Amino acid sequence: MGDRGAMDKMKGKAKQKAGKAMGDERLKSEGRTDEAKGKAKGAMGSAKENIQGMKDSLKSKNHS
């Protein structure tokens, strides 16, 4: 997962814990949103890497 995704996930988890400790539903909700955003960024990064790998594989097959 990319650094941005990991940072969003960690920030989201921290906000959720802080919100739970303080009884702040808004903060908990923001944390869930940040965590989901981080997971999405990580998934997009993985998809891009997979696509690049397929392109590289096809290039090497065509040049053989």
Side-chain angles (χ1 to χ4, degrees):
M1 171 183 354
D3 289 335
R4 291 181 110 192
M7 290 299 293
D8 282 337
K9 280 180 65 175
M10 288 190 304
K11 181 174 72 171
K13 287 181 182 189
K15 279 185 178 181
Q16 288 180 65
K17 286 181 182 180
K20 185 175 183 179
M22 297 185 317
D24 186 337
E25 288 298 320
R26 182 172 170 237
L27 189 58
K28 282 173 40 178
S29 178
E30 285 178 16
R32 286 190 294 270
T33 300
D34 287 343
E35 188 175 2
K37 190 186 318 180
K39 287 179 182 179
K41 285 180 183 178
M44 287 300 295
S46 294
K48 287 178 184 178
E49 289 172 10
N50 288 339
I51 290 170
Q52 186 60 48
M54 287 189 301
K55 286 180 182 178
D56 292 344
S57 177
L58 290 172
K59 282 182 186 178
S60 65
K61 286 181 182 180
N62 288 336
H63 292 299
S64 299

